[in-house]
Amino acid sequence: MKSIVNLLAKSEAFSKLIFSLVLLAMKMRIESTARKYPFFKTRLKEKTLTAQLKLKDNSAGRYFTIKDGDVTSGSGIHASPDVTVIFGDTRVALDMLVPPRDQLAMINAMKSFHLGLEGPEELTSWWMETLSLMLFAGTKYGTDVGKGVTRYTSNTNGGPVFVYVKDGKIIRITPIDFDDKDAQPWTIRARGKTFTPPRRTTISPYTLVFKSMIYSPDRILYPMKRVDFDPNGKRNCENRGTSNYVRIGWEEALDTVANEIKRVKKTYGPGAILNGSGSHHLWGVLGYWLSARLRFFNNIGFTPIAHNPDSWEGWYWGAIHHWGQSMHLGAPESYGTVEDCLKECEMVVFWSSDPEATSGVYGAFEGTIRRQWLKELGIKMVHIDPFYNHTAALLGGKWLAPRPATGNALPLAIAYVWITEGLYDKEYVAQRTYGFDQWKEYILGKEDGIPKTPEWQEAEAGIPSREVRALARLWGTRKTYLAAGGLSGFGSACRDATGNEWARSMVCLMAMQGLGKPGINMGGMQQGTPIDTNFYFPGYAEGGLSGDLAGTASAVNLYPRMPQLPTVNTVYQRVPRLRIPEAILDGHTYGYPTDPKTIEGQFLRYNYPTPGHSPVKMYYKYGGSHIGTMCETNRYANMYRSDKLEFVANQSIWFEGEAKFADIILPACTSFERWDISEFANCGGYIQHSFNQCNHRVALIQHKCIEPLGESKSDFQIFLELAKRLGFSAMFSEGSTEFDWCKRLFDATDLPKAITWEEFLKKGYYVLPAPTEELRAPVSFRAFAEDRLKDTPEIAPLPADYSEQVFKGLQTQSGKIEFVCSSLKRFDPDDPERPVMTKYIPAWEGHHTTELYQKYPLQMITPHPRYSFHTMGDGKRSWINDIKDHRILIDGYYYWIVRINARDANARGIKENDLVKVFNDRGAVICAAQITERVGPGTVHSYEGSAVYDPVGEPGKSADRAGCMNILTPGRSIIEKSHSIAANSCLVQIEPWTDSRGVK
Amino acid sequence: MKKWHLVIDVEKCENCNNCFLACKDEHVDNDWPGYAAPMPGQGQSWVNIHGKERGEFPLIDVGYLPVPCMHCDNAPCMKASNNGAVSKRPDGIVIIDPVKSRDQKNIVKACPYDAIQWNEQLGIPQKCTLCAHLLDEGWLKTRCVQACPTGALSLRQAEESEISEIIQTENLEAYRPDLKTSPRVYYKNLYRFTRCFIAGSIAVRSGGKEECADGARVTLLNPGNEAIGESVADNFGDFKFDNLEEKSGAYTVRVVYPGYGTKTIEVDLTQSVYVGTIFL
């Protein structure tokens, strides 16, 4: 139809006629929809208004009057319409009104003021949404499975799910077992066996408990105001965290927040509004924190909270200088590694790598079966971790437990054995690396007089020297994969005071063994499945509907495919996330950027406050995760209790953590209560092609399975309501509902080539066929090892970052793996904290910090939690709390667990499940003790990520009973010239705790 | 008639708790009349996962034993119940009737596997139903089996003769057969939980350095002084004799490493033991 219309519209007279006919048809559609669908009839009763649609020159138009649920309409121009939609010409009108809507033409018309919307925001927004609902009416979705139950689909940070709903209530959430029509998976033939993944998706524990979290008694079901907060009188900021809340209506909540936004901007100028999110949000390309949130805040101007590369740290600040990989934040690419590993590899070294606990990231248990294949093939495995982790426990193999925060002591000793026994790839080192001889001198002790022998290592990391030699000889004579981190480039060891040097050494070791040659690569089967990398579906880091071309990866693929109004934040100021308390309380701080574009981006220090900008006066926070997940987090509690923050709003689903420090709480709903669209484990951007953790690529519509609970609303809807009060609702929504945005995003992907929208909407998911063997992605680093042009399917590094010829070599200045880093020589060659080549630098908090170590003789590590995902899944009366290895129920209270070796426990008179106080100068946390041999004497293990903060006395100044271990971790960065977490270098003492209340 | 069986491989269980959580998802706030009343949201479990660390830092392993209702043929809970509150279906599943079982707290105590729990609010005993309400609707898997990522749990529908063969070929066994309840839940690699090991590391001093005694030969002699195991130390000099009975007396470990002689140590075996480093 559209093509006929386009043809006829070439004539001016015809086009006006068509315009008039289309408007007439619209009237009939409104009437028939109201007759057929009661919800639409009810909708029409909400408002009384007249909406005019017309050409700009008033030469044609039609108005619609809605009153008491009835529609009357007339041709021509109304004298006093409430809402006016103005089309620059008939072309624009027909592009927009005749389906399928030409989104690019519409956006172009909006940008050139050729399409206008006039009238009070409330009414214009209502009218546009009504037209969307008219088109939505009758849309069918979900699968009827009988007995009044409908099966919907959704997606989560821990995998996609079927959601069974009966009578508007979720009764069951399951992983997805594929049906006969879904695509067949890949098969790998290796060593006489064939390996094919099961035709299903896996899900993480924190996904399985969503029903308990959705219906949690901790849900915030209506807007709330702190009882002693009066925006027009006394604000009593010092009572944040202790005062109670009172229920208020949405009008009051939204008016208060909108008025505060206006007030601080007008009073203080640009930069006064601070906003940030946790690292994660509930899943969905449109609903993630990089989407609707940015569209809103860019349009009001704000000081963003700049994230540190928080799971990558040592890779980003350290390893990146040796091999580039900036687009992966210093972590390695991983194409083709599953097949290569199965076929060629003889040993896998898991180093600070526990994918069975962390799922890579978003990868559920997809990698588990692949690691079981390694075991089936009898491939030797070694696990290096101070904690006998869950991957080691499942797979078996040799466990080596170095002292925490001893960085590269063990790697350097391995290099020493390789050098002195000739167990490295000399040709590769000569051809494909740079600066080895200089590093070799250091290893041999010719630079500092200390040969980095296995015996020297023993005093640092504590591994028996003979075992280091045994490992080095095994590794030096077998094709070995190095799984450094659960997802390559993660790992607790990169998140401590020595994290940079550890990650740097991982690269150097692999350079010595011929990285990229068959069977020699990075990874522990968590990434690198042979799935389709060409099919386009965006990850959340591509910004969804944000329109943000600077702060997301939108510009690369999504923006040209899903035309939308661009948004720009005009505020240059930013605050490093780990320094928010200093920014607020001290009034000044600084940071270094997380910039995946190039190696050098991280050198550009930024200061707060930025010249000419206002200090932060208002903090609008998404959720409540920081006290459980940042470092030295009593700082955050203290910050909230200062009147330097004049206003705090928190948009949160659950009443937990920092949400309890807000002045106004805006209740957001979960992703099961709104529309969204997404792919399994696809975050895009900084982990490009991250779906290659999965055995199958699965794209899903996230059905709105149930109505939002209570008065909660989606983030999108909350921002839209605020936008109405700030005059940009049309710019915010572009007249699209969340459902409309799903369709717009669907159209932007390659899905329409494979499945119709109607079918996708009904079934809910689409499994991408696996490519044929010939079309599988090549193995990462293979071309580099063989000195060929880069052949893996990613646009990294950027063309300008090749020194000689595009695609030739790596991103480093030499194009080779650099033992001596050119980038560090250029930036700060004399930095003792980050020398130009990796050296052993004792931790600034560890066994060499004698005085502190005497006082706090236990070294605590706090990796990412196993059952919960940071604060997701914990607290909220989620069923996860009942997992015996997550929290322990003692006297009616769920305590967080600290794991301690039997010898340390005995010495302190601590028995299994005793309550203990874990403390240092930064604070104290009450935990339940678990006595174990999974850590050695001197090491204690707990997890980060308590969702609950429950101080026994004054917030920020008393012991926490809920398990925010990060109260104890150091607040400083790994090195000064970075913005990084060093949580795993943390000295503590533990003592029995008997007083159930009142301990300070 | 074919009967349902649950097979659990202890070696493949990694304590992810997906079985426990899927069970909660199916039963909390859901009423399945005739099968089970809703399960309390907090503090209850119809599959208990017991964990066991064996050995001593730094040579250990960890095993997990998920214990749901065993759906015993000779179920003590049935005998303890009145008025037919507990019944055995022809397909092998044991069901506690959520209505008839009211106030019958003795049913909880009757289970030697601690698989039955008391619902205080409803006043009824409750346990795993093997998702009978779903199997009856044509589901091919129970919720726990569907959610298990490692293949540790599998559901088998088999005739008596078939299951005997499966038990043979897959080397399955009942947990606590001494209880004589004839369970329909079978385990593989149960030794990881019920049996123990003797492990150690062998090292030598050579040229002023310590080296792992890669390839050292180790013999295990039982309390009767019979050689019951031979092992070769791996690259790290480690050896391990597994599947021994706990509290089974004094064993002898004899180590031979050419050029470095032999050494013998005695182990009084109570539970899994890492004897540490044996220097030759």
CSV table of all heavy atoms in Angstrom, one decimal, chain A residues 171-173 177 200 203 211 356 372 380 398 466 469 473 866-867 882 884 932-934, chain B residues 14-15 18 25-26 28 30 43 49 53 57 64 143 146 148 150 210-211 235 238 277:
chain,number,residue,atom,x,y,z
A,171,ILE,N,3.1,-17.7,37.8
A,171,ILE,CA,3.1,-18.9,38.7
A,171,ILE,C,4.4,-19.7,38.5
A,171,ILE,O,4.8,-20.5,39.4
A,171,ILE,CB,1.9,-19.9,38.3
A,171,ILE,CG1,2.0,-20.3,36.9
A,171,ILE,CG2,0.6,-19.2,38.7
A,171,ILE,CD1,1.0,-21.5,36.6
A,172,ARG,N,5.2,-19.4,37.5
A,172,ARG,CA,6.4,-20.3,37.2
A,172,ARG,C,7.3,-19.6,36.3
A,172,ARG,O,6.9,-18.9,35.3
A,172,ARG,CB,5.9,-21.6,36.7
A,172,ARG,CG,6.9,-22.4,36.0
A,172,ARG,CD,6.3,-23.7,35.4
A,172,ARG,NE,5.4,-24.4,36.2
A,172,ARG,CZ,4.1,-24.8,35.9
A,172,ARG,NH1,3.6,-24.5,34.7
A,172,ARG,NH2,3.4,-25.5,36.7
A,173,ILE,N,8.6,-19.7,36.5
A,173,ILE,CA,9.7,-19.2,35.6
A,173,ILE,C,10.7,-20.3,35.3
A,173,ILE,O,11.2,-20.9,36.3
A,173,ILE,CB,10.3,-18.0,36.2
A,173,ILE,CG1,9.3,-16.8,36.4
A,173,ILE,CG2,11.5,-17.5,35.4
A,173,ILE,CD1,9.9,-15.6,37.1
A,177,ASP,N,13.4,-24.8,26.9
A,177,ASP,CA,13.7,-26.0,26.2
A,177,ASP,C,13.3,-25.7,24.7
A,177,ASP,O,12.1,-25.4,24.5
A,177,ASP,CB,13.0,-27.2,26.8
A,177,ASP,CG,13.7,-27.6,28.1
A,177,ASP,OD1,14.9,-27.6,28.2
A,177,ASP,OD2,12.9,-28.0,29.0
A,200,ARG,N,18.7,-26.1,24.5
A,200,ARG,CA,18.0,-25.4,25.6
A,200,ARG,C,18.9,-24.2,26.0
A,200,ARG,O,20.0,-24.1,25.7
A,200,ARG,CB,17.8,-26.3,26.8
A,200,ARG,CG,19.1,-26.8,27.4
A,200,ARG,CD,18.9,-27.4,28.7
A,200,ARG,NE,20.2,-27.8,29.4
A,200,ARG,CZ,20.3,-28.3,30.6
A,200,ARG,NH1,19.3,-28.3,31.4
A,200,ARG,NH2,21.5,-28.6,31.1
A,203,ILE,N,19.8,-21.2,33.0
A,203,ILE,CA,19.6,-20.0,33.8
A,203,ILE,C,20.4,-20.0,35.1
A,203,ILE,O,20.6,-21.1,35.7
A,203,ILE,CB,18.1,-19.6,34.0
A,203,ILE,CG1,17.4,-20.8,34.7
A,203,ILE,CG2,17.4,-19.2,32.7
A,203,ILE,CD1,15.9,-20.4,35.1
A,211,LYS,N,10.5,-14.8,40.8
A,211,LYS,CA,9.1,-14.8,41.3
A,211,LYS,C,9.1,-14.2,42.7
A,211,LYS,O,8.3,-13.4,43.1
A,211,LYS,CB,8.4,-16.2,41.2
A,211,LYS,CG,6.9,-16.1,41.3
A,211,LYS,CD,6.3,-17.5,41.1
A,211,LYS,CE,6.3,-18.3,42.3
A,211,LYS,NZ,5.6,-19.6,42.1
A,356,GLU,N,32.2,-21.1,37.1
A,356,GLU,CA,31.0,-21.8,37.6
A,356,GLU,C,30.3,-21.0,38.7
A,356,GLU,O,29.2,-21.2,39.1
A,356,GLU,CB,31.4,-23.2,38.2
A,356,GLU,CG,31.9,-24.2,37.2
A,356,GLU,CD,30.9,-24.4,36.1
A,356,GLU,OE1,29.7,-24.3,36.3
A,356,GLU,OE2,31.3,-24.5,34.9
A,372,GLN,N,32.8,-29.5,31.0
A,372,GLN,CA,32.7,-30.9,31.3
A,372,GLN,C,33.3,-31.7,30.1
A,372,GLN,O,33.8,-32.8,30.3
A,372,GLN,CB,31.2,-31.2,31.5
A,372,GLN,CG,30.7,-30.7,32.9
A,372,GLN,CD,29.2,-31.0,33.1
A,372,GLN,OE1,28.4,-30.7,32.3
A,372,GLN,NE2,28.9,-31.6,34.3
A,380,LYS,N,44.3,-31.9,31.1
A,380,LYS,CA,44.8,-31.6,32.5
A,380,LYS,C,44.3,-30.2,32.9
A,380,LYS,O,44.2,-29.3,32.0
A,380,LYS,CB,46.3,-31.6,32.4
A,380,LYS,CG,47.0,-31.8,33.7
A,380,LYS,CD,48.5,-31.9,33.5
A,380,LYS,CE,49.0,-33.3,33.5
A,380,LYS,NZ,48.9,-34.1,34.7
A,398,LYS,N,44.8,-29.9,39.7
A,398,LYS,CA,45.7,-29.4,40.8
A,398,LYS,C,45.2,-28.0,41.3
A,398,LYS,O,45.0,-27.1,40.5
A,398,LYS,CB,47.1,-29.3,40.2
A,398,LYS,CG,48.1,-28.7,41.2
A,398,LYS,CD,48.3,-29.6,42.4
A,398,LYS,CE,49.4,-29.1,43.3
A,398,LYS,NZ,49.5,-29.9,44.6
A,466,ARG,N,58.9,-26.2,44.5
A,466,ARG,CA,58.9,-27.3,43.6
A,466,ARG,C,57.6,-27.4,42.8
A,466,ARG,O,57.6,-27.8,41.6
A,466,ARG,CB,59.0,-28.6,44.5
A,466,ARG,CG,57.8,-28.9,45.4
A,466,ARG,CD,58.0,-30.2,46.1
A,466,ARG,NE,56.7,-30.5,46.8
A,466,ARG,CZ,56.4,-30.0,48.0
A,466,ARG,NH1,57.2,-29.2,48.6
A,466,ARG,NH2,55.2,-30.3,48.5
A,469,ARG,N,57.9,-25.0,39.9
A,469,ARG,CA,58.7,-25.6,38.8
A,469,ARG,C,57.9,-26.7,38.1
A,469,ARG,O,58.0,-26.8,36.8
A,469,ARG,CB,60.0,-26.3,39.4
A,469,ARG,CG,61.2,-25.3,39.4
A,469,ARG,CD,62.5,-26.0,39.8
A,469,ARG,NE,62.5,-26.3,41.2
A,469,ARG,CZ,62.8,-25.5,42.2
A,469,ARG,NH1,63.2,-24.2,41.8
A,469,ARG,NH2,62.8,-25.8,43.4
A,473,ARG,N,57.1,-26.4,34.1
A,473,ARG,CA,57.5,-27.4,33.2
A,473,ARG,C,56.4,-28.0,32.4
A,473,ARG,O,56.5,-28.2,31.2
A,473,ARG,CB,58.3,-28.5,33.9
A,473,ARG,CG,59.7,-28.0,34.3
A,473,ARG,CD,60.3,-28.9,35.3
A,473,ARG,NE,61.5,-28.3,35.9
A,473,ARG,CZ,62.1,-28.7,37.1
A,473,ARG,NH1,61.5,-29.7,37.7
A,473,ARG,NH2,63.1,-28.1,37.5
A,866,ARG,N,28.3,-15.9,44.2
A,866,ARG,CA,28.0,-17.1,43.4
A,866,ARG,C,26.5,-17.1,43.0
A,866,ARG,O,26.1,-17.4,41.9
A,866,ARG,CB,28.4,-18.4,44.1
A,866,ARG,CG,28.1,-19.5,43.1
A,866,ARG,CD,28.5,-20.8,43.7
A,866,ARG,NE,28.6,-21.8,42.7
A,866,ARG,CZ,28.4,-23.1,42.9
A,866,ARG,NH1,28.2,-23.6,44.1
A,866,ARG,NH2,28.5,-24.0,41.8
A,867,TYR,N,25.6,-17.0,44.0
A,867,TYR,CA,24.2,-17.2,43.7
A,867,TYR,C,23.5,-15.9,43.3
A,867,TYR,O,22.6,-16.0,42.5
A,867,TYR,CB,23.5,-17.8,45.0
A,867,TYR,CG,24.2,-19.1,45.3
A,867,TYR,CD1,25.0,-19.3,46.4
A,867,TYR,CD2,24.0,-20.3,44.5
A,867,TYR,CE1,25.6,-20.5,46.7
A,867,TYR,CE2,24.6,-21.5,44.8
A,867,TYR,CZ,25.4,-21.6,45.9
A,867,TYR,OH,26.0,-22.7,46.2
A,882,ASP,N,17.9,-18.6,51.4
A,882,ASP,CA,17.8,-19.9,52.0
A,882,ASP,C,18.8,-20.9,51.5
A,882,ASP,O,18.8,-22.0,52.0
A,882,ASP,CB,16.4,-20.5,51.8
A,882,ASP,CG,15.4,-20.0,52.8
A,882,ASP,OD1,15.8,-19.8,54.0
A,882,ASP,OD2,14.2,-19.8,52.5
A,884,LYS,N,22.1,-22.6,51.7
A,884,LYS,CA,23.0,-22.7,52.8
A,884,LYS,C,24.4,-22.1,52.6
A,884,LYS,O,25.1,-21.8,53.6
A,884,LYS,CB,23.1,-24.2,53.2
A,884,LYS,CG,21.9,-24.7,53.9
A,884,LYS,CD,22.0,-26.1,54.4
A,884,LYS,CE,21.9,-27.1,53.2
A,884,LYS,NZ,21.9,-28.5,53.7
A,932,THR,N,36.3,-23.9,57.0
A,932,THR,CA,36.6,-24.6,55.7
A,932,THR,C,38.1,-24.8,55.5
A,932,THR,O,38.9,-24.1,56.0
A,932,THR,CB,35.9,-23.9,54.6
A,932,THR,OG1,36.1,-24.6,53.4
A,932,THR,CG2,36.5,-22.5,54.4
A,933,GLU,N,38.3,-25.8,54.6
A,933,GLU,CA,39.7,-26.0,54.1
A,933,GLU,C,39.8,-25.4,52.7
A,933,GLU,O,40.8,-25.6,52.0
A,933,GLU,CB,40.0,-27.5,54.1
A,933,GLU,CG,40.1,-28.2,55.5
A,933,GLU,CD,41.2,-27.6,56.3
A,933,GLU,OE1,42.3,-27.4,55.9
A,933,GLU,OE2,40.9,-27.2,57.5
A,934,ARG,N,38.8,-24.8,52.3
A,934,ARG,CA,38.8,-24.2,50.9
A,934,ARG,C,39.6,-22.9,50.9
A,934,ARG,O,39.9,-22.4,49.8
A,934,ARG,CB,37.4,-23.9,50.5
A,934,ARG,CG,36.5,-25.1,50.3
A,934,ARG,CD,35.1,-24.8,49.8
A,934,ARG,NE,35.1,-24.7,48.4
A,934,ARG,CZ,34.1,-25.1,47.6
A,934,ARG,NH1,33.0,-25.7,48.2
A,934,ARG,NH2,34.1,-25.0,46.3
B,14,GLU,N,27.4,-29.5,41.5
B,14,GLU,CA,28.3,-28.4,41.9
B,14,GLU,C,27.6,-27.4,42.9
B,14,GLU,O,28.1,-26.3,43.1
B,14,GLU,CB,28.9,-27.6,40.7
B,14,GLU,CG,27.8,-27.0,39.9
B,14,GLU,CD,28.4,-26.0,38.8
B,14,GLU,OE1,29.5,-25.5,39.1
B,14,GLU,OE2,27.8,-25.9,37.7
B,15,ASN,N,26.6,-27.9,43.5
B,15,ASN,CA,25.9,-27.1,44.6
B,15,ASN,C,25.4,-25.8,44.0
B,15,ASN,O,25.4,-24.8,44.7
B,15,ASN,CB,26.9,-26.8,45.7
B,15,ASN,CG,26.1,-26.3,47.0
B,15,ASN,OD1,25.0,-26.7,47.2
B,15,ASN,ND2,26.8,-25.5,47.7
B,18,ASN,N,20.2,-24.8,41.7
B,18,ASN,CA,19.1,-24.6,40.8
B,18,ASN,C,17.9,-25.6,41.1
B,18,ASN,O,16.8,-25.2,40.9
B,18,ASN,CB,19.6,-24.8,39.4
B,18,ASN,CG,20.0,-23.4,38.8
B,18,ASN,OD1,20.2,-22.5,39.5
B,18,ASN,ND2,20.2,-23.4,37.5
B,25,ASP,N,10.2,-22.4,43.1
B,25,ASP,CA,9.5,-21.6,42.1
B,25,ASP,C,8.2,-22.4,41.8
B,25,ASP,O,7.1,-21.8,41.6
B,25,ASP,CB,10.3,-21.5,40.9
B,25,ASP,CG,9.6,-20.7,39.8
B,25,ASP,OD1,9.3,-19.5,40.0
B,25,ASP,OD2,9.3,-21.2,38.7
B,26,GLU,N,8.3,-23.7,41.8
B,26,GLU,CA,7.1,-24.5,41.4
B,26,GLU,C,6.1,-24.5,42.5
B,26,GLU,O,4.9,-24.6,42.3
B,26,GLU,CB,7.5,-25.9,41.0
B,26,GLU,CG,6.4,-26.8,40.4
B,26,GLU,CD,5.8,-26.2,39.2
B,26,GLU,OE1,6.6,-25.5,38.4
B,26,GLU,OE2,4.6,-26.4,38.9
B,28,VAL,N,6.1,-22.6,45.9
B,28,VAL,CA,5.8,-21.5,46.7
B,28,VAL,C,4.7,-20.7,46.1
B,28,VAL,O,4.7,-20.4,44.9
B,28,VAL,CB,7.0,-20.6,47.0
B,28,VAL,CG1,6.6,-19.4,47.8
B,28,VAL,CG2,8.1,-21.3,47.7
B,30,ASN,N,2.0,-21.6,45.0
B,30,ASN,CA,1.2,-22.4,44.1
B,30,ASN,C,0.6,-23.6,44.8
B,30,ASN,O,1.2,-24.3,45.5
B,30,ASN,CB,2.1,-22.9,42.9
B,30,ASN,CG,2.5,-21.8,41.9
B,30,ASN,OD1,1.8,-20.8,41.8
B,30,ASN,ND2,3.5,-22.1,41.2
B,43,GLY,N,12.6,-20.8,54.7
B,43,GLY,CA,13.0,-21.8,55.7
B,43,GLY,C,12.6,-23.2,55.4
B,43,GLY,O,12.8,-24.1,56.2
B,49,ILE,N,20.6,-30.2,50.1
B,49,ILE,CA,21.9,-30.5,49.5
B,49,ILE,C,23.0,-30.5,50.6
B,49,ILE,O,23.3,-29.5,51.2
B,49,ILE,CB,22.3,-29.4,48.4
B,49,ILE,CG1,21.1,-29.3,47.4
B,49,ILE,CG2,23.6,-29.8,47.7
B,49,ILE,CD1,21.3,-28.1,46.4
B,53,GLU,N,33.4,-31.6,52.5
B,53,GLU,CA,34.8,-31.3,52.1
B,53,GLU,C,35.6,-32.5,52.6
B,53,GLU,O,35.5,-33.0,53.7
B,53,GLU,CB,35.4,-30.1,52.8
B,53,GLU,CG,34.9,-28.8,52.3
B,53,GLU,CD,35.4,-27.6,53.1
B,53,GLU,OE1,36.4,-27.8,53.9
B,53,GLU,OE2,34.9,-26.5,52.9
B,57,PHE,N,43.6,-28.6,53.6
B,57,PHE,CA,44.3,-27.6,52.8
B,57,PHE,C,45.8,-28.0,52.6
B,57,PHE,O,46.4,-28.4,53.6
B,57,PHE,CB,44.3,-26.2,53.4
B,57,PHE,CG,45.1,-25.2,52.7
B,57,PHE,CD1,44.5,-24.4,51.7
B,57,PHE,CD2,46.4,-24.9,53.1
B,57,PHE,CE1,45.2,-23.5,51.0
B,57,PHE,CE2,47.1,-23.9,52.4
B,57,PHE,CZ,46.5,-23.2,51.4
B,64,TYR,N,28.9,-32.9,46.7
B,64,TYR,CA,27.5,-32.5,47.2
B,64,TYR,C,26.5,-33.6,46.9
B,64,TYR,O,26.5,-34.2,45.9
B,64,TYR,CB,27.1,-31.2,46.4
B,64,TYR,CG,28.0,-30.1,46.7
B,64,TYR,CD1,29.1,-29.7,45.9
B,64,TYR,CD2,27.8,-29.4,47.9
B,64,TYR,CE1,29.9,-28.7,46.3
B,64,TYR,CE2,28.6,-28.3,48.3
B,64,TYR,CZ,29.7,-28.0,47.4
B,64,TYR,OH,30.5,-26.9,47.8
B,143,ARG,N,10.9,-30.1,37.5
B,143,ARG,CA,11.5,-28.8,37.5
B,143,ARG,C,13.0,-28.8,37.9
B,143,ARG,O,13.8,-28.1,37.3
B,143,ARG,CB,10.8,-27.9,38.5
B,143,ARG,CG,9.4,-27.5,38.1
B,143,ARG,CD,9.3,-26.6,36.9
B,143,ARG,NE,10.2,-25.5,36.9
B,143,ARG,CZ,10.0,-24.3,37.5
B,143,ARG,NH1,8.8,-24.1,38.1
B,143,ARG,NH2,10.9,-23.3,37.5
B,146,GLN,N,15.0,-30.1,35.0
B,146,GLN,CA,15.1,-29.1,33.9
B,146,GLN,C,16.1,-28.0,34.2
B,146,GLN,O,16.8,-27.5,33.3
B,146,GLN,CB,13.7,-28.5,33.7
B,146,GLN,CG,13.6,-27.6,32.5
B,146,GLN,CD,12.4,-26.7,32.4
B,146,GLN,OE1,11.9,-26.3,33.5
B,146,GLN,NE2,12.0,-26.3,31.3
B,148,CYS,N,18.7,-28.2,36.2
B,148,CYS,CA,20.1,-28.6,36.5
B,148,CYS,C,21.0,-28.4,35.3
B,148,CYS,O,20.8,-28.9,34.2
B,148,CYS,CB,20.1,-30.1,36.8
B,148,CYS,SG,21.7,-30.8,37.1
B,150,THR,N,24.3,-29.2,34.9
B,150,THR,CA,25.4,-30.1,34.7
B,150,THR,C,25.1,-31.5,34.3
B,150,THR,O,25.9,-32.3,34.0
B,150,THR,CB,26.2,-30.2,36.0
B,150,THR,OG1,25.4,-30.8,37.0
B,150,THR,CG2,26.7,-28.8,36.5
B,210,GLU,N,64.1,-28.1,46.0
B,210,GLU,CA,63.0,-29.1,46.1
B,210,GLU,C,62.4,-29.4,44.8
B,210,GLU,O,62.2,-28.5,44.0
B,210,GLU,CB,61.9,-28.6,47.1
B,210,GLU,CG,62.4,-28.6,48.5
B,210,GLU,CD,61.3,-28.0,49.4
B,210,GLU,OE1,60.2,-27.9,49.0
B,210,GLU,OE2,61.7,-27.7,50.6
B,211,GLU,N,62.1,-30.7,44.5
B,211,GLU,CA,61.5,-31.0,43.3
B,211,GLU,C,60.3,-32.0,43.6
B,211,GLU,O,60.4,-32.8,44.6
B,211,GLU,CB,62.4,-31.8,42.3
B,211,GLU,CG,63.6,-30.9,41.9
B,211,GLU,CD,63.2,-29.8,40.8
B,211,GLU,OE1,62.0,-29.8,40.4
B,211,GLU,OE2,64.1,-29.0,40.5
B,235,ASN,N,52.6,-35.0,38.1
B,235,ASN,CA,53.6,-34.0,37.9
B,235,ASN,C,53.9,-33.2,39.2
B,235,ASN,O,55.0,-32.6,39.4
B,235,ASN,CB,53.2,-33.0,36.8
B,235,ASN,CG,52.9,-33.7,35.6
B,235,ASN,OD1,51.8,-34.3,35.4
B,235,ASN,ND2,53.8,-33.8,34.6
B,238,ASP,N,51.7,-35.5,43.5
B,238,ASP,CA,50.6,-35.8,44.3
B,238,ASP,C,50.0,-37.2,44.0
B,238,ASP,O,50.1,-37.7,42.9
B,238,ASP,CB,49.4,-34.9,44.0
B,238,ASP,CG,49.7,-33.4,44.5
B,238,ASP,OD1,50.7,-33.3,45.3
B,238,ASP,OD2,49.1,-32.5,44.0
B,277,THR,N,53.4,-33.5,52.8
B,277,THR,CA,54.5,-33.7,51.9
B,277,THR,C,55.5,-34.8,52.5
B,277,THR,O,55.9,-34.6,53.6
B,277,THR,CB,55.3,-32.4,51.6
B,277,THR,OG1,54.4,-31.5,51.1
B,277,THR,CG2,56.4,-32.7,50.5
